Amino acid sequence: MTSKKEEFDRSIKERLKQKQFVKNPINGTKHTLLVSSAKGGVGKSTVAVNLAFALQNLGLKIGILDADIYGPSLPKLINLNEKPKSEDGKAMIPLEKFNAQCMSMGFLVDEQTPMIWRGPMVISALKTMTQKVLWKDRDLIIIDMPPGTGDTQLTFAQEIKIDAAIIVSTPQDLALLDVKRGIQMFDKTGVKVLGLIDNMSYFEGDDGKQYKIFGEGGVEKTAKEFNKDFLGKIPLNQDLRNSADNGDPLTHSNPDHEISKIFKSIAEKIIQFYQ
Ligand code: ADP
């Protein structure tokens, strides 16, 4: 019986053999960074957006591309719900919020519309979102990926020029198994994995004690195992959750918050790669 890993390795190899992919750049930006997670609900979008503003606080001109076609979360995270304009009817002008240029499928479809598209439609939407958006004068575009290692991830990894990726996980074993798969996918498609972030790492009680609700040390261990950097631990924190729900990311609304400082240290590590 073939293991899931063997099956996965084979499917990637077959996809790679099918054709030589041409990697298209995203215009209007110097660099790109994928924020990915192998499993949903680990806080990937929260981390992506807070990291984006932490990088902005360090002086970068940023763009945020929410590539989660099925479950876009950027409109809610930055409380923005306008339709992007187009001057020629072909390319869209990204929306602007808190000095960041932003694009999300959520700006284009009604919040109530369920996304029941098939793979090819998703891939075509992604191509529009990457090739038909007039990003302007950006240092870095942070791309919030949908969870998993499916078609969207492969499309990005194979057909769009991506400098690097980071992977967000919780310390749970279940999430970690998927993380290993994610690392292998990026490695095989030539996207540099800058490192792993351990989100919901612990909860700090009023007693000052750290409670390891989802376990401990697994993300760091996985990073070591695959020879990747461990970028940092983000605790479960109510202010972070509130700011996400209020549509003003904590690193933007309160850059001096202890959690914003953690994002700052991760942002500094990421910037080193681009220098
Ligand atoms: P994903 O993008 O991985 O599906 P989200 O970023 O949407 O996950 O986060 C899922 C939920 O968890 C959201 O309600 C978010 O506010 C919350 N959340 C994420 N990270 C944290 C954290 N470190 N502390 C508290 N809440 C968090």
PDB file of all heavy atoms in Angstrom, residues 37 39-48 68 71 73 76-77 144-145 147 168 198-202 234-245 259 263, ligand 1:
ATOM      1  N   SER A  37      -0.446  27.954   5.156  1.00  0.00           N
ATOM      2  CA  SER A  37      -0.616  27.006   6.250  1.00  0.00           C
ATOM      3  C   SER A  37      -1.191  25.759   5.622  1.00  0.00           C
ATOM      4  O   SER A  37      -1.896  25.830   4.616  1.00  0.00           O
ATOM      5  CB  SER A  37      -1.574  27.534   7.306  1.00  0.00           C
ATOM      6  OG  SER A  37      -2.888  27.504   6.810  1.00  0.00           O
ATOM      7  N   LYS A  39      -3.204  23.737   7.054  1.00  0.00           N
ATOM      8  CA  LYS A  39      -4.524  23.414   7.593  1.00  0.00           C
ATOM      9  C   LYS A  39      -5.247  24.735   7.885  1.00  0.00           C
ATOM     10  O   LYS A  39      -4.603  25.733   8.198  1.00  0.00           O
ATOM     11  CB  LYS A  39      -4.253  22.649   8.887  1.00  0.00           C
ATOM     12  CG  LYS A  39      -5.448  22.230   9.676  1.00  0.00           C
ATOM     13  CD  LYS A  39      -4.978  21.357  10.830  1.00  0.00           C
ATOM     14  CE  LYS A  39      -6.049  21.224  11.866  1.00  0.00           C
ATOM     15  NZ  LYS A  39      -6.067  22.305  12.845  1.00  0.00           N
ATOM     16  N   GLY A  40      -6.568  24.723   7.771  1.00  0.00           N
ATOM     17  CA  GLY A  40      -7.328  25.950   8.031  1.00  0.00           C
ATOM     18  C   GLY A  40      -7.475  26.232   9.520  1.00  0.00           C
ATOM     19  O   GLY A  40      -7.332  25.333  10.348  1.00  0.00           O
ATOM     20  N   GLY A  41      -7.712  27.487   9.838  1.00  0.00           N
ATOM     21  CA  GLY A  41      -8.021  27.866  11.213  1.00  0.00           C
ATOM     22  C   GLY A  41      -6.832  27.991  12.143  1.00  0.00           C
ATOM     23  O   GLY A  41      -6.998  28.126  13.356  1.00  0.00           O
ATOM     24  N   VAL A  42      -5.618  27.965  11.580  1.00  0.00           N
ATOM     25  CA  VAL A  42      -4.434  28.077  12.450  1.00  0.00           C
ATOM     26  C   VAL A  42      -4.022  29.533  12.664  1.00  0.00           C
ATOM     27  O   VAL A  42      -3.065  29.825  13.372  1.00  0.00           O
ATOM     28  CB  VAL A  42      -3.228  27.268  11.909  1.00  0.00           C
ATOM     29  CG1 VAL A  42      -3.559  25.792  11.818  1.00  0.00           C
ATOM     30  CG2 VAL A  42      -2.762  27.804  10.560  1.00  0.00           C
ATOM     31  N   GLY A  43      -4.751  30.452  12.017  1.00  0.00           N
ATOM     32  CA  GLY A  43      -4.447  31.871  12.191  1.00  0.00           C
ATOM     33  C   GLY A  43      -3.597  32.454  11.081  1.00  0.00           C
ATOM     34  O   GLY A  43      -3.011  33.533  11.237  1.00  0.00           O
ATOM     35  N   LYS A  44      -3.568  31.780   9.939  1.00  0.00           N
ATOM     36  CA  LYS A  44      -2.719  32.226   8.825  1.00  0.00           C
ATOM     37  C   LYS A  44      -3.052  33.645   8.379  1.00  0.00           C
ATOM     38  O   LYS A  44      -2.155  34.477   8.227  1.00  0.00           O
ATOM     39  CB  LYS A  44      -2.864  31.245   7.665  1.00  0.00           C
ATOM     40  CG  LYS A  44      -2.310  31.702   6.354  1.00  0.00           C
ATOM     41  CD  LYS A  44      -2.697  30.765   5.246  1.00  0.00           C
ATOM     42  CE  LYS A  44      -4.163  30.452   5.220  1.00  0.00           C
ATOM     43  NZ  LYS A  44      -5.045  31.611   4.938  1.00  0.00           N
ATOM     44  N   SER A  45      -4.353  33.944   8.177  1.00  0.00           N
ATOM     45  CA  SER A  45      -4.728  35.276   7.687  1.00  0.00           C
ATOM     46  C   SER A  45      -4.410  36.342   8.731  1.00  0.00           C
ATOM     47  O   SER A  45      -3.936  37.435   8.385  1.00  0.00           O
ATOM     48  CB  SER A  45      -6.220  35.325   7.352  1.00  0.00           C
ATOM     49  OG  SER A  45      -6.510  34.384   6.373  1.00  0.00           O
ATOM     50  N   THR A  46      -4.663  36.033   9.976  1.00  0.00           N
ATOM     51  CA  THR A  46      -4.355  36.974  11.063  1.00  0.00           C
ATOM     52  C   THR A  46      -2.858  37.278  11.073  1.00  0.00           C
ATOM     53  O   THR A  46      -2.441  38.430  11.179  1.00  0.00           O
ATOM     54  CB  THR A  46      -4.782  36.344  12.419  1.00  0.00           C
ATOM     55  OG1 THR A  46      -6.139  35.918  12.300  1.00  0.00           O
ATOM     56  CG2 THR A  46      -4.626  37.313  13.564  1.00  0.00           C
ATOM     57  N   VAL A  47      -2.059  36.212  10.931  1.00  0.00           N
ATOM     58  CA  VAL A  47      -0.602  36.392  10.930  1.00  0.00           C
ATOM     59  C   VAL A  47      -0.176  37.175   9.680  1.00  0.00           C
ATOM     60  O   VAL A  47       0.622  38.118   9.764  1.00  0.00           O
ATOM     61  CB  VAL A  47       0.125  35.026  11.007  1.00  0.00           C
ATOM     62  CG1 VAL A  47       1.615  35.172  10.739  1.00  0.00           C
ATOM     63  CG2 VAL A  47      -0.115  34.377  12.371  1.00  0.00           C
ATOM     64  N   ALA A  48      -0.749  36.831   8.518  1.00  0.00           N
ATOM     65  CA  ALA A  48      -0.348  37.488   7.268  1.00  0.00           C
ATOM     66  C   ALA A  48      -0.568  38.996   7.361  1.00  0.00           C
ATOM     67  O   ALA A  48       0.315  39.804   7.033  1.00  0.00           O
ATOM     68  CB  ALA A  48      -1.134  36.909   6.095  1.00  0.00           C
ATOM     69  N   ASP A  68      -7.187  33.576  -0.954  1.00  0.00           N
ATOM     70  CA  ASP A  68      -8.121  32.539  -0.519  1.00  0.00           C
ATOM     71  C   ASP A  68      -9.457  32.778  -1.227  1.00  0.00           C
ATOM     72  O   ASP A  68     -10.284  33.576  -0.795  1.00  0.00           O
ATOM     73  CB  ASP A  68      -8.287  32.572   1.001  1.00  0.00           C
ATOM     74  CG  ASP A  68      -8.902  31.291   1.522  1.00  0.00           C
ATOM     75  OD1 ASP A  68      -9.561  30.601   0.715  1.00  0.00           O
ATOM     76  OD2 ASP A  68      -8.730  30.980   2.705  1.00  0.00           O
ATOM     77  N   GLY A  71     -12.549  31.346   0.817  1.00  0.00           N
ATOM     78  CA  GLY A  71     -12.863  31.961   2.114  1.00  0.00           C
ATOM     79  C   GLY A  71     -12.054  33.214   2.351  1.00  0.00           C
ATOM     80  O   GLY A  71     -11.204  33.273   3.241  1.00  0.00           O
ATOM     81  N   SER A  73     -10.645  36.531   3.718  1.00  0.00           N
ATOM     82  CA  SER A  73     -10.849  37.135   5.041  1.00  0.00           C
ATOM     83  C   SER A  73     -10.327  38.570   5.129  1.00  0.00           C
ATOM     84  O   SER A  73     -10.568  39.261   6.112  1.00  0.00           O
ATOM     85  CB  SER A  73     -10.233  36.266   6.141  1.00  0.00           C
ATOM     86  OG  SER A  73      -8.998  35.800   5.730  1.00  0.00           O
ATOM     87  N   LYS A  76     -12.755  41.600   5.999  1.00  0.00           N
ATOM     88  CA  LYS A  76     -13.139  41.710   7.414  1.00  0.00           C
ATOM     89  C   LYS A  76     -11.934  42.170   8.269  1.00  0.00           C
ATOM     90  O   LYS A  76     -12.075  43.023   9.150  1.00  0.00           O
ATOM     91  CB  LYS A  76     -13.642  40.350   7.898  1.00  0.00           C
ATOM     92  CG  LYS A  76     -14.260  40.391   9.268  1.00  0.00           C
ATOM     93  CD  LYS A  76     -15.088  39.136   9.543  1.00  0.00           C
ATOM     94  CE  LYS A  76     -15.512  39.096  10.986  1.00  0.00           C
ATOM     95  NZ  LYS A  76     -14.475  38.504  11.849  1.00  0.00           N
ATOM     96  N   LEU A  77     -10.767  41.641   7.954  1.00  0.00           N
ATOM     97  CA  LEU A  77      -9.596  41.949   8.790  1.00  0.00           C
ATOM     98  C   LEU A  77      -9.192  43.421   8.728  1.00  0.00           C
ATOM     99  O   LEU A  77      -8.569  43.933   9.667  1.00  0.00           O
ATOM    100  CB  LEU A  77      -8.405  41.065   8.378  1.00  0.00           C
ATOM    101  CG  LEU A  77      -8.477  39.601   8.824  1.00  0.00           C
ATOM    102  CD1 LEU A  77      -7.391  38.768   8.151  1.00  0.00           C
ATOM    103  CD2 LEU A  77      -8.333  39.497  10.344  1.00  0.00           C
ATOM    104  N   ASP A 144      -1.711  36.004   1.080  1.00  0.00           N
ATOM    105  CA  ASP A 144      -2.361  35.123   2.047  1.00  0.00           C
ATOM    106  C   ASP A 144      -2.985  33.965   1.283  1.00  0.00           C
ATOM    107  O   ASP A 144      -3.962  34.126   0.566  1.00  0.00           O
ATOM    108  CB  ASP A 144      -3.437  35.934   2.798  1.00  0.00           C
ATOM    109  CG  ASP A 144      -4.176  35.096   3.817  1.00  0.00           C
ATOM    110  OD1 ASP A 144      -3.755  33.964   4.087  1.00  0.00           O
ATOM    111  OD2 ASP A 144      -5.186  35.586   4.349  1.00  0.00           O
ATOM    112  N   MET A 145      -2.393  32.806   1.424  1.00  0.00           N
ATOM    113  CA  MET A 145      -2.798  31.633   0.647  1.00  0.00           C
ATOM    114  C   MET A 145      -3.955  30.893   1.303  1.00  0.00           C
ATOM    115  O   MET A 145      -4.081  30.934   2.523  1.00  0.00           O
ATOM    116  CB  MET A 145      -1.612  30.655   0.581  1.00  0.00           C
ATOM    117  CG  MET A 145      -0.432  31.183  -0.149  1.00  0.00           C
ATOM    118  SD  MET A 145      -0.711  31.169  -1.901  1.00  0.00           S
ATOM    119  CE  MET A 145      -0.503  29.431  -2.245  1.00  0.00           C
ATOM    120  N   PRO A 147      -5.558  27.446   2.765  1.00  0.00           N
ATOM    121  CA  PRO A 147      -4.830  26.342   3.406  1.00  0.00           C
ATOM    122  C   PRO A 147      -4.691  25.140   2.470  1.00  0.00           C
ATOM    123  O   PRO A 147      -5.468  24.992   1.528  1.00  0.00           O
ATOM    124  CB  PRO A 147      -5.734  25.987   4.591  1.00  0.00           C
ATOM    125  CG  PRO A 147      -7.087  26.479   4.227  1.00  0.00           C
ATOM    126  CD  PRO A 147      -6.878  27.657   3.322  1.00  0.00           C
ATOM    127  N   VAL A 168       2.631  28.945   8.596  1.00  0.00           N
ATOM    128  CA  VAL A 168       2.076  29.158   9.932  1.00  0.00           C
ATOM    129  C   VAL A 168       1.445  27.850  10.391  1.00  0.00           C
ATOM    130  O   VAL A 168       0.742  27.192   9.626  1.00  0.00           O
ATOM    131  CB  VAL A 168       0.982  30.261   9.898  1.00  0.00           C
ATOM    132  CG1 VAL A 168       0.418  30.501  11.283  1.00  0.00           C
ATOM    133  CG2 VAL A 168       1.528  31.544   9.291  1.00  0.00           C
ATOM    134  N   ASP A 198       4.979  29.608  14.862  1.00  0.00           N
ATOM    135  CA  ASP A 198       4.148  28.839  15.779  1.00  0.00           C
ATOM    136  C   ASP A 198       3.068  29.782  16.325  1.00  0.00           C
ATOM    137  O   ASP A 198       3.350  30.644  17.157  1.00  0.00           O
ATOM    138  CB  ASP A 198       5.079  28.352  16.909  1.00  0.00           C
ATOM    139  CG  ASP A 198       4.412  27.368  17.836  1.00  0.00           C
ATOM    140  OD1 ASP A 198       3.215  27.089  17.645  1.00  0.00           O
ATOM    141  OD2 ASP A 198       5.098  26.880  18.748  1.00  0.00           O
ATOM    142  N   ASN A 199       1.831  29.651  15.785  1.00  0.00           N
ATOM    143  CA  ASN A 199       0.752  30.527  16.249  1.00  0.00           C
ATOM    144  C   ASN A 199      -0.103  29.810  17.293  1.00  0.00           C
ATOM    145  O   ASN A 199      -0.163  28.593  17.311  1.00  0.00           O
ATOM    146  CB  ASN A 199      -0.113  30.969  15.063  1.00  0.00           C
ATOM    147  CG  ASN A 199      -1.127  32.032  15.457  1.00  0.00           C
ATOM    148  OD1 ASN A 199      -0.836  32.879  16.318  1.00  0.00           O
ATOM    149  ND2 ASN A 199      -2.302  31.999  14.888  1.00  0.00           N
ATOM    150  N   MET A 200      -0.738  30.582  18.147  1.00  0.00           N
ATOM    151  CA  MET A 200      -1.532  30.049  19.265  1.00  0.00           C
ATOM    152  C   MET A 200      -0.628  29.140  20.109  1.00  0.00           C
ATOM    153  O   MET A 200      -1.036  28.077  20.589  1.00  0.00           O
ATOM    154  CB  MET A 200      -2.763  29.290  18.770  1.00  0.00           C
ATOM    155  CG  MET A 200      -3.580  30.080  17.758  1.00  0.00           C
ATOM    156  SD  MET A 200      -5.178  29.329  17.454  1.00  0.00           S
ATOM    157  CE  MET A 200      -5.746  30.209  16.029  1.00  0.00           C
ATOM    158  N   SER A 201       0.596  29.611  20.242  1.00  0.00           N
ATOM    159  CA  SER A 201       1.662  28.824  20.855  1.00  0.00           C
ATOM    160  C   SER A 201       1.384  28.536  22.333  1.00  0.00           C
ATOM    161  O   SER A 201       1.674  27.453  22.830  1.00  0.00           O
ATOM    162  CB  SER A 201       2.942  29.631  20.695  1.00  0.00           C
ATOM    163  OG  SER A 201       4.037  28.892  21.025  1.00  0.00           O
ATOM    164  N   TYR A 202       0.863  29.534  23.020  1.00  0.00           N
ATOM    165  CA  TYR A 202       0.536  29.385  24.446  1.00  0.00           C
ATOM    166  C   TYR A 202      -0.443  30.482  24.829  1.00  0.00           C
ATOM    167  O   TYR A 202      -0.673  31.417  24.053  1.00  0.00           O
ATOM    168  CB  TYR A 202       1.800  29.498  25.315  1.00  0.00           C
ATOM    169  CG  TYR A 202       2.574  30.782  25.107  1.00  0.00           C
ATOM    170  CD1 TYR A 202       2.285  31.931  25.839  1.00  0.00           C
ATOM    171  CD2 TYR A 202       3.590  30.857  24.151  1.00  0.00           C
ATOM    172  CE1 TYR A 202       2.975  33.123  25.630  1.00  0.00           C
ATOM    173  CE2 TYR A 202       4.293  32.038  23.927  1.00  0.00           C
ATOM    174  CZ  TYR A 202       3.977  33.158  24.679  1.00  0.00           C
ATOM    175  OH  TYR A 202       4.641  34.339  24.464  1.00  0.00           O
ATOM    176  N   ILE A 234       3.736  33.019  18.487  1.00  0.00           N
ATOM    177  CA  ILE A 234       2.712  34.034  18.761  1.00  0.00           C
ATOM    178  C   ILE A 234       1.689  33.409  19.705  1.00  0.00           C
ATOM    179  O   ILE A 234       1.106  32.369  19.385  1.00  0.00           O
ATOM    180  CB  ILE A 234       2.042  34.495  17.454  1.00  0.00           C
ATOM    181  CG1 ILE A 234       3.111  35.088  16.527  1.00  0.00           C
ATOM    182  CG2 ILE A 234       0.954  35.526  17.735  1.00  0.00           C
ATOM    183  CD1 ILE A 234       2.698  35.201  15.094  1.00  0.00           C
ATOM    184  N   PRO A 235       1.488  33.994  20.885  1.00  0.00           N
ATOM    185  CA  PRO A 235       0.543  33.396  21.833  1.00  0.00           C
ATOM    186  C   PRO A 235      -0.909  33.617  21.427  1.00  0.00           C
ATOM    187  O   PRO A 235      -1.207  34.460  20.577  1.00  0.00           O
ATOM    188  CB  PRO A 235       0.852  34.131  23.143  1.00  0.00           C
ATOM    189  CG  PRO A 235       1.464  35.407  22.736  1.00  0.00           C
ATOM    190  CD  PRO A 235       2.147  35.188  21.423  1.00  0.00           C
ATOM    191  N   LEU A 236      -1.784  32.854  22.047  1.00  0.00           N
ATOM    192  CA  LEU A 236      -3.218  33.119  21.931  1.00  0.00           C
ATOM    193  C   LEU A 236      -3.449  34.409  22.691  1.00  0.00           C
ATOM    194  O   LEU A 236      -3.093  34.509  23.860  1.00  0.00           O
ATOM    195  CB  LEU A 236      -3.997  32.011  22.636  1.00  0.00           C
ATOM    196  CG  LEU A 236      -4.546  30.870  21.808  1.00  0.00           C
ATOM    197  CD1 LEU A 236      -5.085  29.797  22.718  1.00  0.00           C
ATOM    198  CD2 LEU A 236      -5.626  31.347  20.852  1.00  0.00           C
ATOM    199  N   ASN A 237      -4.031  35.380  22.037  1.00  0.00           N
ATOM    200  CA  ASN A 237      -4.156  36.670  22.692  1.00  0.00           C
ATOM    201  C   ASN A 237      -5.458  37.353  22.296  1.00  0.00           C
ATOM    202  O   ASN A 237      -5.783  37.443  21.113  1.00  0.00           O
ATOM    203  CB  ASN A 237      -2.953  37.549  22.312  1.00  0.00           C
ATOM    204  CG  ASN A 237      -3.004  38.885  22.977  1.00  0.00           C
ATOM    205  OD1 ASN A 237      -3.653  39.803  22.481  1.00  0.00           O
ATOM    206  ND2 ASN A 237      -2.323  39.006  24.105  1.00  0.00           N
ATOM    207  N   GLN A 238      -6.154  37.830  23.312  1.00  0.00           N
ATOM    208  CA  GLN A 238      -7.476  38.392  23.052  1.00  0.00           C
ATOM    209  C   GLN A 238      -7.411  39.704  22.268  1.00  0.00           C
ATOM    210  O   GLN A 238      -8.269  39.970  21.422  1.00  0.00           O
ATOM    211  CB  GLN A 238      -8.210  38.607  24.371  1.00  0.00           C
ATOM    212  CG  GLN A 238      -9.681  38.802  24.147  1.00  0.00           C
ATOM    213  CD  GLN A 238     -10.473  38.693  25.433  1.00  0.00           C
ATOM    214  OE1 GLN A 238      -9.937  38.323  26.474  1.00  0.00           O
ATOM    215  NE2 GLN A 238     -11.742  39.023  25.371  1.00  0.00           N
ATOM    216  N   ASP A 239      -6.384  40.523  22.533  1.00  0.00           N
ATOM    217  CA  ASP A 239      -6.279  41.798  21.801  1.00  0.00           C
ATOM    218  C   ASP A 239      -6.070  41.546  20.303  1.00  0.00           C
ATOM    219  O   ASP A 239      -6.589  42.284  19.464  1.00  0.00           O
ATOM    220  CB  ASP A 239      -5.110  42.641  22.345  1.00  0.00           C
ATOM    221  CG  ASP A 239      -5.370  43.095  23.772  1.00  0.00           C
ATOM    222  OD1 ASP A 239      -6.552  43.136  24.170  1.00  0.00           O
ATOM    223  OD2 ASP A 239      -4.395  43.386  24.497  1.00  0.00           O
ATOM    224  N   LEU A 240      -5.294  40.500  20.021  1.00  0.00           N
ATOM    225  CA  LEU A 240      -5.041  40.152  18.618  1.00  0.00           C
ATOM    226  C   LEU A 240      -6.352  39.728  17.952  1.00  0.00           C
ATOM    227  O   LEU A 240      -6.673  40.143  16.840  1.00  0.00           O
ATOM    228  CB  LEU A 240      -4.015  39.011  18.544  1.00  0.00           C
ATOM    229  CG  LEU A 240      -3.499  38.621  17.161  1.00  0.00           C
ATOM    230  CD1 LEU A 240      -2.794  39.784  16.483  1.00  0.00           C
ATOM    231  CD2 LEU A 240      -2.542  37.434  17.252  1.00  0.00           C
ATOM    232  N   ARG A 241      -7.124  38.941  18.663  1.00  0.00           N
ATOM    233  CA  ARG A 241      -8.412  38.467  18.134  1.00  0.00           C
ATOM    234  C   ARG A 241      -9.388  39.637  17.992  1.00  0.00           C
ATOM    235  O   ARG A 241     -10.039  39.794  16.964  1.00  0.00           O
ATOM    236  CB  ARG A 241      -8.970  37.386  19.053  1.00  0.00           C
ATOM    237  CG  ARG A 241      -9.789  36.347  18.372  1.00  0.00           C
ATOM    238  CD  ARG A 241     -11.268  36.602  18.387  1.00  0.00           C
ATOM    239  NE  ARG A 241     -11.769  36.871  19.735  1.00  0.00           N
ATOM    240  CZ  ARG A 241     -12.682  37.773  20.012  1.00  0.00           C
ATOM    241  NH1 ARG A 241     -13.186  38.517  19.052  1.00  0.00           N
ATOM    242  NH2 ARG A 241     -13.087  37.971  21.243  1.00  0.00           N
ATOM    243  N   ASN A 242      -9.447  40.489  19.011  1.00  0.00           N
ATOM    244  CA  ASN A 242     -10.360  41.640  18.949  1.00  0.00           C
ATOM    245  C   ASN A 242     -10.028  42.550  17.778  1.00  0.00           C
ATOM    246  O   ASN A 242     -10.916  43.009  17.064  1.00  0.00           O
ATOM    247  CB  ASN A 242     -10.263  42.484  20.233  1.00  0.00           C
ATOM    248  CG  ASN A 242     -11.034  41.833  21.366  1.00  0.00           C
ATOM    249  OD1 ASN A 242     -11.884  40.986  21.125  1.00  0.00           O
ATOM    250  ND2 ASN A 242     -10.735  42.217  22.599  1.00  0.00           N
ATOM    251  N   SER A 243      -8.732  42.814  17.591  1.00  0.00           N
ATOM    252  CA  SER A 243      -8.340  43.744  16.530  1.00  0.00           C
ATOM    253  C   SER A 243      -8.703  43.153  15.173  1.00  0.00           C
ATOM    254  O   SER A 243      -9.098  43.872  14.256  1.00  0.00           O
ATOM    255  CB  SER A 243      -6.853  44.068  16.608  1.00  0.00           C
ATOM    256  OG  SER A 243      -6.108  42.912  16.318  1.00  0.00           O
ATOM    257  N   ALA A 244      -8.576  41.819  15.063  1.00  0.00           N
ATOM    258  CA  ALA A 244      -8.951  41.161  13.803  1.00  0.00           C
ATOM    259  C   ALA A 244     -10.455  41.338  13.579  1.00  0.00           C
ATOM    260  O   ALA A 244     -10.898  41.664  12.476  1.00  0.00           O
ATOM    261  CB  ALA A 244      -8.587  39.677  13.846  1.00  0.00           C
ATOM    262  N   ASP A 245     -11.213  41.165  14.624  1.00  0.00           N
ATOM    263  CA  ASP A 245     -12.674  41.299  14.483  1.00  0.00           C
ATOM    264  C   ASP A 245     -13.095  42.746  14.253  1.00  0.00           C
ATOM    265  O   ASP A 245     -14.118  43.006  13.629  1.00  0.00           O
ATOM    266  CB  ASP A 245     -13.381  40.754  15.737  1.00  0.00           C
ATOM    267  CG  ASP A 245     -13.344  39.236  15.770  1.00  0.00           C
ATOM    268  OD1 ASP A 245     -12.909  38.642  14.757  1.00  0.00           O
ATOM    269  OD2 ASP A 245     -13.706  38.648  16.793  1.00  0.00           O
ATOM    270  N   ILE A 259       2.362  41.910  21.612  1.00  0.00           N
ATOM    271  CA  ILE A 259       2.197  40.983  20.481  1.00  0.00           C
ATOM    272  C   ILE A 259       2.749  41.624  19.198  1.00  0.00           C
ATOM    273  O   ILE A 259       3.381  40.963  18.382  1.00  0.00           O
ATOM    274  CB  ILE A 259       0.703  40.614  20.288  1.00  0.00           C
ATOM    275  CG1 ILE A 259       0.128  39.988  21.557  1.00  0.00           C
ATOM    276  CG2 ILE A 259       0.510  39.692  19.081  1.00  0.00           C
ATOM    277  CD1 ILE A 259       0.706  38.647  21.931  1.00  0.00           C
ATOM    278  N   PHE A 263       5.588  40.347  16.353  1.00  0.00           N
ATOM    279  CA  PHE A 263       5.489  40.439  14.886  1.00  0.00           C
ATOM    280  C   PHE A 263       6.658  41.253  14.326  1.00  0.00           C
ATOM    281  O   PHE A 263       7.173  40.947  13.255  1.00  0.00           O
ATOM    282  CB  PHE A 263       4.153  41.070  14.469  1.00  0.00           C
ATOM    283  CG  PHE A 263       3.018  40.072  14.436  1.00  0.00           C
ATOM    284  CD1 PHE A 263       2.062  40.051  15.432  1.00  0.00           C
ATOM    285  CD2 PHE A 263       2.930  39.149  13.403  1.00  0.00           C
ATOM    286  CE1 PHE A 263       1.016  39.126  15.395  1.00  0.00           C
ATOM    287  CE2 PHE A 263       1.897  38.219  13.361  1.00  0.00           C
ATOM    288  CZ  PHE A 263       0.935  38.202  14.362  1.00  0.00           C
TER     289      PHE A 263
HETATM  290  P1  ADP B   1      -6.824  30.887   9.013  1.00  0.00           P
HETATM  291  O1  ADP B   1      -6.477  32.002   8.083  1.00  0.00           O
HETATM  292  O2  ADP B   1      -5.655  29.980   9.280  1.00  0.00           O
HETATM  293  O3  ADP B   1      -8.062  30.132   8.649  1.00  0.00           O
HETATM  294  P2  ADP B   1      -7.619  32.992  10.837  1.00  0.00           P
HETATM  295  O4  ADP B   1      -6.506  33.968  10.739  1.00  0.00           O
HETATM  296  O5  ADP B   1      -8.900  33.297  10.140  1.00  0.00           O
HETATM  297  O6  ADP B   1      -7.125  31.521  10.444  1.00  0.00           O
HETATM  298  O7  ADP B   1      -7.881  32.777  12.393  1.00  0.00           O
HETATM  299  C1  ADP B   1      -8.924  31.947  12.879  1.00  0.00           C
HETATM  300  C2  ADP B   1      -9.495  32.584  14.140  1.00  0.00           C
HETATM  301  O8  ADP B   1      -8.509  32.560  15.166  1.00  0.00           O
HETATM  302  C3  ADP B   1      -9.872  34.054  13.971  1.00  0.00           C
HETATM  303  O9  ADP B   1     -11.016  34.296  14.747  1.00  0.00           O
HETATM  304  C4  ADP B   1      -8.683  34.822  14.557  1.00  0.00           C
HETATM  305  O10 ADP B   1      -9.044  36.081  15.091  1.00  0.00           O
HETATM  306  C5  ADP B   1      -8.230  33.877  15.644  1.00  0.00           C
HETATM  307  N1  ADP B   1      -6.785  33.927  15.932  1.00  0.00           N
HETATM  308  C6  ADP B   1      -5.777  33.655  15.085  1.00  0.00           C
HETATM  309  N2  ADP B   1      -4.592  33.738  15.715  1.00  0.00           N
HETATM  310  C7  ADP B   1      -4.859  34.081  16.997  1.00  0.00           C
HETATM  311  C8  ADP B   1      -4.063  34.317  18.174  1.00  0.00           C
HETATM  312  N3  ADP B   1      -2.740  34.202  18.150  1.00  0.00           N
HETATM  313  N4  ADP B   1      -4.709  34.662  19.316  1.00  0.00           N
HETATM  314  C9  ADP B   1      -6.059  34.766  19.347  1.00  0.00           C
HETATM  315  N5  ADP B   1      -6.862  34.542  18.294  1.00  0.00           N
HETATM  316  C10 ADP B   1      -6.277  34.196  17.141  1.00  0.00           C
END
